[in-house]
Amino acid sequence: MVRALALLFAQLAAAPVVSETVEIGERHRVDLGTFECRDITRSTVLQRVCYDRARQDLVVVAGGAYDRYCGVTADTVERLLGAPSMGQFFNQNIRRETAGSRYDCHA
């Protein structure tokens, strides 16, 4: 048993780290290596939510397209994930059409 666990840990340590990079819009790429991502199955608006707590970056997949929002607090993301209607919360509090430039990324 101990030998099997040691072998498993050795294989994991030797495995290459593969980072996922996604296209945001036409000219921007975001490396999701530092993000915690969740596939969303209970929303018709959101398919995936990725959040980097240290940088307060939120990447969402809505309507099949990735979009990035900056300066989103962890509390806002927790409220999004716990909302009875994630799509309604997102549309009313985060989406650019309703939040304006509040969560724009400037770099």
Side-chain angles (χ1 to χ4, degrees):
M1 175 81 168
V2 173
R3 185 175 180 186
L5 284 174
L7 181 60
L8 176 62
F9 285 132
Q11 289 173 339
L12 288 174
V17 175
V18 178
S19 183
E20 180 181 4
T21 301
V22 297
E23 299 281 336
I24 307 286
E26 293 181 12
R27 301 183 337 181
H28 298 284
R29 290 182 178 193
V30 174
D31 182 351
L32 296 178
T34 60
F35 287 74
E36 178 184 328
C37 294
R38 297 180 188 184
D39 291 329
I40 306 299
T41 58
R42 65 180 188 91
S43 174
T44 58
V45 174
L46 300 175
Q47 293 85 49
R48 191 173 191 205
V49 173
C50 299
Y51 185 63
D52 182 328
R53 185 178 293 267
R55 293 179 26 208
Q56 293 189 328
D57 277 359
L58 175 68
V59 172
V60 299
V61 179
Y66 282 88
D67 206 357
R68 181 179 173 203
Y69 297 86
C70 296
V72 181
T73 65
D75 178 62
T76 300
V77 174
E78 288 172 18
R79 290 188 297 134
L80 168 68
L81 295 172
S85 171
M86 293 175 70
Q88 187 175 32
F89 183 91
F90 175 75
N91 286 332
Q92 292 177 351
N93 298 285
I94 300 172
R95 188 181 290 273
R96 282 188 184 80
E97 288 79 4
T98 52
S101 59
R102 179 177 182 181
Y103 297 122
D104 279 354
C105 302
H106 302 287

XYZ file of all heavy atoms in Angstrom:
830
model
N 0.821 -1.184 0.000
C 0.000 0.000 0.000
C 0.868 1.252 0.000
O 0.640 2.155 -0.780
C -0.934 -0.047 1.213
C -1.758 1.178 1.389
S -3.166 1.124 0.299
C -4.122 2.424 0.944
N 1.844 1.302 0.884
C 2.725 2.460 0.967
C 3.509 2.610 -0.336
O 3.674 3.718 -0.846
C 3.672 2.338 2.176
C 4.703 3.447 2.173
C 2.879 2.351 3.474
N 3.945 1.485 -0.871
C 4.705 1.520 -2.126
C 3.831 2.043 -3.268
O 4.272 2.826 -4.097
C 5.230 0.128 -2.446
C 6.120 0.101 -3.637
C 6.709 -1.266 -3.828
N 7.571 -1.251 -4.998
C 8.137 -2.297 -5.499
N 7.954 -3.475 -4.929
N 8.890 -2.212 -6.560
N 2.567 1.635 -3.316
C 1.643 2.092 -4.358
C 1.401 3.591 -4.240
O 1.363 4.306 -5.247
C 0.329 1.333 -4.269
N 1.246 4.088 -3.012
C 1.059 5.524 -2.811
C 2.305 6.303 -3.216
O 2.203 7.364 -3.842
C 0.704 5.822 -1.359
C -0.724 5.513 -0.946
C -0.910 5.715 0.548
C -1.702 6.380 -1.725
N 3.473 5.785 -2.872
C 4.716 6.446 -3.249
C 4.860 6.505 -4.762
O 5.271 7.527 -5.318
C 5.912 5.718 -2.623
N 4.490 5.430 -5.443
C 4.542 5.407 -6.901
C 3.564 6.415 -7.501
O 3.897 7.144 -8.427
C 4.230 3.999 -7.418
C 4.259 3.818 -8.930
C 5.638 4.166 -9.496
C 3.881 2.406 -9.300
N 2.370 6.493 -6.926
C 1.373 7.441 -7.407
C 1.860 8.878 -7.232
O 1.763 9.696 -8.142
C 0.046 7.247 -6.666
C -1.068 8.235 -7.014
C -1.450 8.108 -8.490
C -2.260 8.012 -6.128
N 2.416 9.192 -6.077
C 2.941 10.545 -5.842
C 4.097 10.863 -6.783
O 4.209 11.980 -7.274
C 3.371 10.714 -4.383
C 2.230 10.868 -3.427
C 2.180 10.122 -2.279
C 1.193 11.760 -3.684
C 1.126 10.250 -1.386
C 0.137 11.896 -2.801
C 0.102 11.142 -1.648
N 4.943 9.899 -7.050
C 6.051 10.118 -7.975
C 5.538 10.400 -9.377
O 6.050 11.271 -10.080
C 6.984 8.901 -7.978
N 4.498 9.675 -9.799
C 3.924 9.908 -11.123
C 3.275 11.285 -11.209
O 3.397 11.982 -12.207
C 2.896 8.827 -11.457
C 3.522 7.484 -11.736
C 2.479 6.388 -11.896
O 1.346 6.517 -11.444
N 2.878 5.305 -12.539
N 2.574 11.689 -10.150
C 1.956 13.014 -10.137
C 3.008 14.115 -10.170
O 2.844 15.127 -10.848
C 1.065 13.172 -8.901
C -0.233 12.379 -8.920
C -0.945 12.511 -7.581
C -1.136 12.839 -10.047
N 4.085 13.932 -9.440
C 5.148 14.939 -9.404
C 5.845 15.059 -10.752
O 6.289 16.137 -11.137
C 6.164 14.598 -8.317
N 5.933 13.966 -11.483
C 6.610 13.976 -12.777
C 5.699 14.418 -13.910
O 6.165 14.745 -14.997
C 7.171 12.589 -13.084
N 4.388 14.460 -13.663
C 3.444 14.828 -14.720
C 3.597 16.305 -15.054
O 3.785 17.140 -14.175
C 2.018 14.550 -14.258
N 3.549 16.634 -16.330
C 3.681 18.033 -16.713
C 2.458 18.830 -16.247
O 1.338 18.330 -16.230
C 3.738 17.986 -18.242
C 3.067 16.708 -18.606
C 3.339 15.766 -17.465
N 2.711 20.072 -15.850
C 1.624 20.953 -15.454
C 1.088 21.607 -16.725
O 1.815 22.264 -17.458
C 2.118 22.028 -14.465
C 1.017 23.012 -14.146
C 2.653 21.372 -13.210
N -0.166 21.379 -16.994
C -0.787 21.925 -18.191
C -1.709 23.052 -17.761
O -2.599 22.847 -16.942
C -1.579 20.842 -18.952
C -2.257 21.432 -20.164
C -0.655 19.709 -19.352
N -1.448 24.222 -18.293
C -2.262 25.368 -17.948
C -3.240 25.638 -19.077
O -2.900 25.529 -20.251
C -1.362 26.582 -17.709
O -2.141 27.671 -17.301
N -4.438 25.999 -18.723
C -5.461 26.284 -19.717
C -5.441 27.777 -20.048
O -5.456 28.615 -19.158
C -6.823 25.885 -19.167
C -7.956 26.135 -20.112
C -9.304 25.749 -19.518
O -9.355 25.357 -18.345
O -10.293 25.860 -20.248
N -5.407 28.091 -21.316
C -5.487 29.474 -21.775
C -6.745 29.623 -22.607
O -7.031 28.778 -23.454
C -4.248 29.848 -22.623
O -3.083 29.664 -21.818
C -4.305 31.281 -23.084
N -7.492 30.706 -22.353
C -8.743 30.923 -23.071
C -8.698 32.260 -23.800
O -7.987 33.180 -23.406
C -9.962 30.864 -22.119
C -10.091 29.483 -21.503
C -9.881 31.929 -21.042
N -9.476 32.342 -24.870
C -9.585 33.559 -25.658
C -10.688 34.429 -25.069
O -11.811 33.971 -24.885
C -9.947 33.228 -27.104
C -8.924 32.375 -27.819
C -7.719 33.183 -28.300
O -7.853 34.399 -28.495
O -6.654 32.577 -28.452
N -10.348 35.684 -24.797
C -11.325 36.662 -24.340
C -11.446 37.688 -25.464
O -10.508 38.421 -25.735
C -10.871 37.372 -23.051
C -10.490 36.373 -21.965
C -11.900 38.375 -22.591
C -11.625 35.669 -21.303
N -12.575 37.708 -26.101
C -12.708 38.605 -27.240
C -11.850 38.129 -28.391
O -11.531 36.953 -28.515
N -11.445 39.071 -29.236
C -10.673 38.701 -30.421
C -9.170 38.736 -30.215
O -8.439 38.075 -30.922
C -11.037 39.627 -31.588
C -12.454 39.447 -32.064
C -12.777 40.356 -33.229
O -11.850 40.952 -33.815
O -13.966 40.474 -33.556
N -8.686 39.545 -29.256
C -7.249 39.749 -29.178
C -6.635 39.510 -27.815
O -5.475 39.827 -27.602
C -6.910 41.174 -29.626
C -7.373 41.428 -31.022
C -7.014 42.781 -31.557
N -6.774 43.797 -30.563
C -6.465 45.034 -30.855
N -6.376 45.414 -32.090
N -6.248 45.922 -29.900
N -7.370 38.966 -26.883
C -6.824 38.775 -25.545
C -6.904 37.313 -25.141
O -7.872 36.625 -25.429
C -7.596 39.622 -24.527
C -7.512 41.089 -24.793
N -6.394 41.824 -24.514
C -8.407 41.940 -25.334
C -6.603 43.083 -24.870
N -7.821 43.181 -25.377
N -5.865 36.879 -24.454
C -5.823 35.524 -23.899
C -5.601 35.626 -22.401
O -4.871 36.484 -21.937
C -4.681 34.719 -24.520
C -4.917 34.382 -25.956
C -3.800 33.549 -26.491
N -4.087 33.202 -27.867
C -3.450 32.295 -28.535
N -2.463 31.627 -27.963
N -3.759 32.029 -29.769
N -6.231 34.715 -21.686
C -6.070 34.664 -20.236
C -5.651 33.259 -19.859
O -6.280 32.282 -20.264
C -7.392 35.044 -19.510
C -7.256 34.843 -18.016
C -7.785 36.478 -19.828
N -4.569 33.161 -19.079
C -4.099 31.889 -18.554
C -4.864 31.614 -17.267
O -4.793 32.393 -16.313
C -2.597 31.966 -18.284
C -2.017 30.664 -17.768
O -2.779 29.729 -17.454
O -0.784 30.577 -17.687
N -5.596 30.531 -17.235
C -6.421 30.198 -16.074
C -5.661 29.407 -15.008
O -6.278 28.857 -14.095
C -7.661 29.413 -16.512
C -8.642 30.164 -17.414
C -9.800 29.250 -17.811
C -9.150 31.426 -16.751
N -4.342 29.375 -15.103
C -3.530 28.606 -14.166
C -3.722 28.992 -12.712
O -3.602 28.164 -11.820
N -4.035 30.256 -12.433
C -4.212 30.709 -11.050
C -5.680 30.820 -10.657
O -5.996 31.241 -9.544
C -3.542 32.083 -10.839
O -4.139 33.030 -11.729
C -2.045 32.000 -11.080
N -6.575 30.453 -11.550
C -8.006 30.574 -11.314
C -8.585 29.277 -10.768
O -8.140 28.191 -11.120
C -8.741 30.894 -12.625
C -8.547 32.303 -13.119
C -7.347 32.699 -13.688
C -9.585 33.218 -13.042
C -7.182 33.988 -14.164
C -9.428 34.502 -13.521
C -8.217 34.894 -14.076
N -9.605 29.405 -9.942
C -10.402 28.259 -9.523
C -11.641 28.269 -10.408
O -12.397 29.240 -10.412
C -10.813 28.386 -8.056
C -11.684 27.247 -7.587
C -12.172 27.441 -6.159
O -11.448 28.033 -5.344
O -13.302 26.995 -5.876
N -11.832 27.210 -11.186
C -12.935 27.166 -12.142
C -13.993 26.152 -11.717
O -13.668 25.103 -11.168
C -12.419 26.791 -13.535
S -11.336 28.041 -14.241
N -15.230 26.501 -12.020
C -16.364 25.609 -11.761
C -17.236 25.566 -13.004
O -17.611 26.604 -13.541
C -17.206 26.128 -10.596
C -16.460 26.177 -9.299
C -17.334 26.700 -8.212
N -16.518 26.899 -7.021
C -17.003 27.286 -5.866
N -18.287 27.529 -5.745
N -16.214 27.439 -4.836
N -17.555 24.373 -13.429
C -18.543 24.215 -14.494
C -19.912 24.383 -13.866
O -20.194 23.821 -12.804
C -18.412 22.840 -15.159
C -17.124 22.720 -15.953
O -16.650 23.742 -16.481
O -16.583 21.607 -16.043
N -20.753 25.157 -14.517
C -22.067 25.480 -13.979
C -23.128 24.691 -14.739
O -23.189 24.756 -15.967
C -22.354 26.995 -14.096
C -21.231 27.816 -13.453
C -23.718 27.336 -13.514
C -21.025 27.571 -11.974
N -23.946 23.954 -14.001
C -24.984 23.151 -14.640
C -26.387 23.633 -14.290
O -27.350 23.204 -14.909
C -24.862 21.671 -14.229
O -24.956 21.581 -12.801
C -23.543 21.085 -14.699
N -26.496 24.550 -13.335
C -27.825 24.972 -12.891
C -28.226 26.346 -13.414
O -29.147 26.956 -12.897
C -27.924 24.937 -11.370
C -27.024 25.910 -10.658
C -27.196 25.788 -9.137
N -26.480 26.821 -8.435
C -26.995 28.003 -8.108
N -28.228 28.296 -8.431
N -26.275 28.877 -7.454
N -27.544 26.825 -14.441
C -27.863 28.130 -15.012
C -27.996 28.010 -16.524
O -27.221 27.301 -17.164
C -26.757 29.138 -14.670
O -26.975 30.367 -15.333
N -28.955 28.717 -17.080
C -29.077 28.761 -18.541
C -28.254 29.905 -19.120
O -28.054 29.967 -20.327
C -30.550 28.931 -18.967
O -31.075 30.122 -18.385
C -31.385 27.730 -18.529
N -27.749 30.793 -18.267
C -26.950 31.939 -18.713
C -25.462 31.627 -18.626
O -24.706 31.871 -19.567
C -27.287 33.206 -17.891
C -26.373 34.364 -18.246
C -28.748 33.593 -18.090
N -25.019 31.100 -17.498
C -23.596 30.844 -17.254
C -23.285 29.361 -17.414
O -24.003 28.510 -16.889
C -23.213 31.286 -15.849
C -23.426 32.764 -15.518
C -23.127 33.021 -14.059
C -22.561 33.636 -16.409
N -22.191 29.073 -18.126
C -21.752 27.691 -18.269
C -20.513 27.387 -17.418
O -20.267 26.257 -17.036
C -21.417 27.372 -19.733
C -22.611 27.382 -20.664
C -22.936 28.779 -21.167
O -22.062 29.497 -21.633
N -24.187 29.167 -21.075
N -19.719 28.432 -17.119
C -18.491 28.228 -16.356
C -18.130 29.528 -15.645
O -18.314 30.604 -16.192
C -17.361 27.823 -17.294
C -16.114 27.337 -16.602
C -15.126 26.802 -17.620
N -14.046 26.109 -16.961
C -12.850 25.946 -17.473
N -12.587 26.404 -18.687
N -11.912 25.311 -16.829
N -17.596 29.393 -14.429
C -17.152 30.545 -13.653
C -15.749 30.231 -13.145
O -15.532 29.201 -12.513
C -18.102 30.820 -12.459
C -17.538 31.901 -11.563
C -19.485 31.199 -12.949
N -14.799 31.122 -13.437
C -13.422 30.975 -12.975
C -13.050 32.238 -12.201
O -13.309 33.355 -12.666
C -12.466 30.802 -14.157
S -12.793 29.345 -15.161
N -12.404 32.072 -11.039
C -12.086 33.229 -10.208
C -10.682 33.117 -9.651
O -10.276 32.079 -9.140
C -13.095 33.342 -9.058
C -12.920 34.586 -8.223
C -13.084 35.851 -8.774
C -12.602 34.509 -6.870
C -12.925 37.002 -8.017
C -12.453 35.640 -6.096
C -12.618 36.891 -6.673
O -12.466 38.024 -5.912
N -9.930 34.211 -9.759
C -8.606 34.348 -9.156
C -8.765 35.294 -7.975
O -8.883 36.508 -8.155
C -7.612 34.903 -10.170
C -6.205 35.020 -9.615
O -6.034 35.262 -8.401
O -5.256 34.897 -10.407
N -8.816 34.729 -6.796
C -9.088 35.502 -5.578
C -8.000 36.549 -5.314
O -8.313 37.684 -4.943
C -9.197 34.551 -4.392
C -9.593 35.212 -3.093
C -9.735 34.188 -1.974
N -10.849 33.292 -2.183
C -12.064 33.501 -1.699
N -12.314 34.565 -0.983
N -13.034 32.643 -1.915
N -6.749 36.212 -5.525
C -5.652 37.145 -5.244
C -5.712 38.374 -6.149
O -5.428 39.491 -5.710
C -4.304 36.435 -5.390
N -6.075 38.171 -7.401
C -6.127 39.292 -8.360
C -7.528 39.853 -8.534
O -7.710 40.839 -9.241
C -5.580 38.832 -9.710
C -4.086 38.530 -9.629
C -3.447 38.044 -10.904
N -4.090 38.463 -12.122
C -4.068 37.783 -13.255
N -3.412 36.644 -13.302
N -4.655 38.211 -14.335
N -8.515 39.222 -7.924
C -9.923 39.607 -8.038
C -10.370 39.648 -9.503
O -11.069 40.551 -9.938
C -10.204 40.950 -7.352
C -10.047 40.895 -5.859
C -10.538 42.146 -5.170
O -10.470 43.243 -5.701
N -11.033 41.976 -3.952
N -9.935 38.647 -10.256
C -10.319 38.499 -11.662
C -11.379 37.416 -11.779
O -11.220 36.324 -11.236
C -9.119 38.080 -12.525
C -8.253 39.245 -12.937
O -8.572 40.387 -12.576
O -7.256 39.008 -13.632
N -12.419 37.718 -12.520
C -13.506 36.781 -12.768
C -13.590 36.542 -14.269
O -13.625 37.491 -15.050
C -14.828 37.359 -12.262
C -16.096 36.561 -12.546
C -16.092 35.250 -11.747
C -17.324 37.386 -12.215
N -13.576 35.279 -14.662
C -13.779 34.898 -16.058
C -15.019 34.027 -16.085
O -15.131 33.078 -15.316
C -12.551 34.146 -16.625
C -12.847 33.581 -18.003
C -11.333 35.057 -16.667
N -15.954 34.384 -16.956
C -17.184 33.611 -17.073
C -17.393 33.191 -18.514
O -16.913 33.840 -19.443
C -18.424 34.409 -16.598
C -18.303 34.786 -15.141
C -18.664 35.622 -17.458
N -18.096 32.092 -18.677
C -18.569 31.687 -19.996
C -20.074 31.892 -19.966
O -20.782 31.274 -19.184
C -18.225 30.219 -20.320
C -18.773 29.847 -21.693
C -16.734 29.993 -20.258
N -20.519 32.810 -20.796
C -21.947 33.104 -20.926
C -22.274 33.078 -22.407
O -21.603 33.743 -23.203
C -22.281 34.466 -20.321
N -23.258 32.281 -22.772
C -23.611 32.171 -24.183
C -22.503 31.565 -25.015
O -22.366 31.838 -26.198
N -21.643 30.758 -24.387
C -20.571 30.080 -25.100
C -19.310 30.906 -25.297
O -18.336 30.417 -25.843
N -19.299 32.174 -24.849
C -18.129 33.034 -25.023
C -17.526 33.396 -23.667
O -18.240 33.645 -22.705
C -18.524 34.307 -25.771
N -16.194 33.430 -23.618
C -15.499 33.833 -22.398
C -15.481 35.348 -22.300
O -15.299 36.047 -23.295
C -14.046 33.335 -22.419
C -13.890 31.883 -22.088
C -13.960 30.910 -23.080
C -13.669 31.466 -20.775
C -13.808 29.564 -22.773
C -13.519 30.124 -20.469
C -13.586 29.179 -21.478
O -13.444 27.857 -21.169
N -15.627 35.855 -21.066
C -15.495 37.280 -20.804
C -14.825 37.444 -19.456
O -14.969 36.603 -18.564
C -16.853 37.975 -20.821
C -16.754 39.454 -21.180
O -15.626 39.967 -21.358
O -17.808 40.100 -21.277
N -14.077 38.541 -19.303
C -13.292 38.767 -18.091
C -13.768 40.041 -17.397
O -14.025 41.052 -18.048
C -11.822 38.896 -18.456
C -10.907 39.116 -17.286
C -9.475 39.206 -17.756
N -8.594 39.584 -16.678
C -7.417 40.146 -16.847
N -6.972 40.377 -18.069
N -6.686 40.472 -15.820
N -13.845 39.970 -16.085
C -14.237 41.095 -15.257
C -13.187 41.254 -14.164
O -12.821 40.283 -13.508
C -15.617 40.852 -14.644
C -16.697 40.728 -15.695
C -16.970 39.502 -16.301
C -17.421 41.834 -16.101
C -17.945 39.389 -17.275
C -18.397 41.732 -17.081
C -18.652 40.508 -17.666
O -19.613 40.406 -18.644
N -12.690 42.478 -13.964
C -11.628 42.733 -12.992
C -12.161 43.511 -11.795
O -13.135 44.268 -11.909
C -10.502 43.521 -13.655
S -9.691 42.605 -14.982
N -11.515 43.316 -10.646
C -11.912 44.021 -9.434
C -13.175 43.483 -8.803
O -13.853 44.180 -8.053
N -13.486 42.228 -9.077
C -14.688 41.602 -8.514
C -14.301 40.986 -7.171
O -13.411 40.142 -7.105
C -15.254 40.525 -9.468
C -16.514 39.920 -8.877
C -15.504 41.097 -10.848
N -14.967 41.418 -6.130
C -14.620 40.923 -4.798
C -15.035 39.467 -4.623
O -15.958 38.980 -5.290
C -15.302 41.762 -3.695
O -16.711 41.598 -3.803
C -14.911 43.236 -3.806
N -14.364 38.794 -3.703
C -14.698 37.403 -3.396
C -16.136 37.303 -2.889
O -16.845 36.346 -3.207
C -13.725 36.836 -2.366
N -16.592 38.303 -2.147
C -17.962 38.311 -1.654
C -18.964 38.323 -2.813
O -19.968 37.609 -2.780
C -18.193 39.526 -0.747
C -19.620 39.598 -0.241
O -20.030 38.657 0.478
O -20.318 40.578 -0.583
N -18.680 39.114 -3.833
C -19.567 39.172 -4.998
C -19.618 37.822 -5.700
O -20.689 37.354 -6.100
C -19.115 40.277 -5.972
O -19.152 41.530 -5.284
C -20.005 40.344 -7.197
N -18.469 37.167 -5.839
C -18.435 35.854 -6.488
C -19.179 34.825 -5.649
O -19.927 34.009 -6.187
C -16.978 35.415 -6.770
C -16.930 33.992 -7.316
C -16.305 36.382 -7.732
N -19.017 34.874 -4.334
C -19.737 33.943 -3.459
C -21.247 34.156 -3.565
O -22.017 33.198 -3.595
C -19.262 34.106 -2.016
C -17.864 33.554 -1.802
C -17.291 33.880 -0.433
O -18.062 34.239 0.487
O -16.065 33.782 -0.289
N -21.673 35.434 -3.651
C -23.100 35.713 -3.812
C -23.597 35.235 -5.173
O -24.710 34.726 -5.287
C -23.395 37.195 -3.603
C -23.225 37.599 -2.137
C -23.691 39.004 -1.817
N -22.899 39.983 -2.559
C -23.407 41.018 -3.224
N -24.708 41.235 -3.243
N -22.613 41.851 -3.856
N -22.764 35.372 -6.213
C -23.115 34.864 -7.538
C -23.326 33.357 -7.491
O -24.351 32.836 -7.948
C -22.018 35.208 -8.553
C -22.092 34.504 -9.913
C -23.309 34.991 -10.698
C -20.813 34.735 -10.697
N -22.363 32.641 -6.924
C -22.430 31.183 -6.891
C -23.562 30.665 -6.003
O -24.079 29.574 -6.238
C -21.090 30.602 -6.436
C -19.918 30.844 -7.392
C -18.609 30.404 -6.749
C -20.140 30.132 -8.713
N -23.955 31.447 -5.005
C -25.014 31.013 -4.107
C -26.390 31.558 -4.447
O -27.369 31.238 -3.776
N -26.468 32.370 -5.487
C -27.745 32.998 -5.841
C -28.757 31.962 -6.324
O -28.389 31.017 -7.019
C -27.519 34.044 -6.931
N -30.031 32.139 -5.964
C -31.060 31.232 -6.473
C -31.085 31.210 -8.004
O -31.288 30.160 -8.600
C -32.365 31.806 -5.907
C -31.954 32.616 -4.726
C -30.580 33.129 -5.046
N -30.865 32.376 -8.614
C -30.739 32.463 -10.073
C -29.403 33.122 -10.384
O -29.261 34.350 -10.288
C -31.879 33.290 -10.680
O -31.611 33.520 -12.057
N -28.419 32.297 -10.731
C -27.089 32.823 -11.024
C -27.123 33.781 -12.214
O -26.465 34.816 -12.215
C -26.109 31.677 -11.292
C -25.843 30.829 -10.085
S -24.801 29.407 -10.455
C -23.253 30.223 -10.757
N -27.901 33.443 -13.228
C -27.988 34.284 -14.411
C -28.573 35.645 -14.082
O -28.084 36.677 -14.552
N -29.608 35.664 -13.282
C -30.227 36.927 -12.898
C -29.257 37.767 -12.075
O -29.120 38.970 -12.304
C -31.513 36.664 -12.112
C -32.301 37.914 -11.811
C -33.631 37.598 -11.148
O -33.743 36.616 -10.406
N -34.632 38.406 -11.415
N -28.559 37.155 -11.128
C -27.579 37.888 -10.328
C -26.478 38.455 -11.225
O -26.110 39.619 -11.110
C -26.960 36.987 -9.245
C -25.995 37.729 -8.357
C -26.443 38.324 -7.192
C -24.655 37.847 -8.691
C -25.560 39.026 -6.371
C -23.768 38.537 -7.899
C -24.220 39.142 -6.724
N -25.958 37.619 -12.122
C -24.903 38.056 -13.035
C -25.387 39.221 -13.893
O -24.705 40.241 -14.004
C -24.458 36.885 -13.919
C -23.470 37.268 -14.973
C -22.151 37.511 -14.644
C -23.859 37.390 -16.294
C -21.223 37.880 -15.624
C -22.951 37.748 -17.280
C -21.631 37.995 -16.933
N -26.554 39.080 -14.486
C -27.076 40.122 -15.371
C -27.335 41.432 -14.633
O -27.109 42.507 -15.185
C -28.361 39.649 -16.054
C -28.084 38.638 -17.136
O -27.031 38.620 -17.757
N -29.043 37.745 -17.364
N -27.769 41.375 -13.382
C -28.104 42.581 -12.634
C -26.918 43.229 -11.936
O -26.943 44.432 -11.684
C -29.180 42.271 -11.588
C -30.518 41.944 -12.200
C -31.555 41.561 -11.157
O -31.246 41.368 -9.978
N -32.791 41.430 -11.599
N -25.872 42.453 -11.627
C -24.794 42.990 -10.790
C -23.410 43.014 -11.421
O -22.543 43.757 -10.948
C -24.721 42.190 -9.490
C -25.987 42.308 -8.688
O -26.238 43.330 -8.080
N -26.808 41.278 -8.723
N -23.176 42.214 -12.444
C -21.812 42.084 -12.973
C -21.723 42.430 -14.456
O -20.805 43.136 -14.868
C -21.267 40.655 -12.717
C -21.232 40.377 -11.207
C -19.886 40.489 -13.335
C -20.904 38.944 -10.837
N -22.643 41.960 -15.253
C -22.585 42.161 -16.709
C -22.398 43.641 -17.038
O -22.993 44.503 -16.421
C -23.851 41.620 -17.367
C -23.769 41.620 -18.887
C -25.052 41.099 -19.519
N -25.269 39.683 -19.334
C -24.803 38.719 -20.136
N -24.077 39.037 -21.179
N -25.069 37.463 -19.898
N -21.540 43.932 -18.003
C -21.200 45.308 -18.354
C -22.401 46.168 -18.726
O -22.421 47.355 -18.452
C -20.183 45.322 -19.492
C -18.805 45.013 -18.996
C -17.724 45.187 -20.034
N -16.471 44.757 -19.433
C -16.098 43.489 -19.315
N -16.854 42.532 -19.795
N -14.968 43.168 -18.728
N -23.390 45.575 -19.344
C -24.557 46.339 -19.764
C -25.287 46.949 -18.571
O -25.944 47.974 -18.711
C -25.524 45.471 -20.580
C -25.012 45.131 -21.965
C -23.980 44.002 -21.986
O -23.679 43.389 -20.931
O -23.459 43.731 -23.071
N -25.156 46.349 -17.383
C -25.834 46.881 -16.200
C -24.860 47.466 -15.181
O -25.214 48.401 -14.480
C -26.683 45.796 -15.516
O -25.878 44.650 -15.273
C -27.866 45.413 -16.379
N -23.638 46.950 -15.112
C -22.658 47.451 -14.141
C -21.785 48.551 -14.739
O -20.936 49.111 -14.055
C -21.786 46.300 -13.636
N -21.966 48.853 -16.024
C -21.143 49.873 -16.667
C -19.694 49.426 -16.730
O -19.400 48.270 -16.976
N -18.790 50.353 -16.473
C -17.362 50.039 -16.563
C -16.781 49.627 -15.204
O -15.571 49.549 -15.046
C -16.593 51.246 -17.102
O -16.782 52.358 -16.238
N -17.647 49.345 -14.252
C -17.224 49.017 -12.887
C -16.191 47.892 -12.841
O -15.251 47.936 -12.058
C -18.447 48.628 -12.076
C -18.145 48.237 -10.666
C -19.413 47.938 -9.919
N -19.109 47.609 -8.546
C -20.014 47.282 -7.668
N -21.284 47.246 -8.006
N -19.675 46.964 -6.443
N -16.345 46.887 -13.667
C -15.443 45.730 -13.631
C -14.570 45.617 -14.888
O -14.100 44.542 -15.212
C -16.253 44.439 -13.446
C -16.999 44.386 -12.127
C -18.372 44.231 -12.086
C -16.315 44.485 -10.920
C -19.056 44.176 -10.883
C -16.996 44.441 -9.712
C -18.356 44.279 -9.701
O -19.029 44.222 -8.503
N -14.356 46.727 -15.573
C -13.495 46.714 -16.757
C -12.054 46.381 -16.372
O -11.576 46.743 -15.290
C -13.515 48.065 -17.471
C -14.732 48.234 -18.360
O -15.495 47.255 -18.514
O -14.914 49.331 -18.899
N -11.379 45.720 -17.286
C -9.967 45.372 -17.101
C -9.135 46.345 -17.940
O -9.343 46.451 -19.140
C -9.720 43.930 -17.542
S -10.730 42.720 -16.648
N -8.218 47.043 -17.309
C -7.452 48.090 -17.980
C -5.993 47.717 -18.193
O -5.120 48.458 -17.828
C -7.501 49.390 -17.174
C -8.880 49.892 -16.957
N -9.631 50.454 -17.950
C -9.653 49.894 -15.845
C -10.805 50.804 -17.467
N -10.850 50.456 -16.195
N -5.702 46.577 -18.758
C -4.286 46.264 -19.030
C -4.176 45.141 -19.996
O -4.897 44.239 -20.040
C -3.551 45.929 -17.740
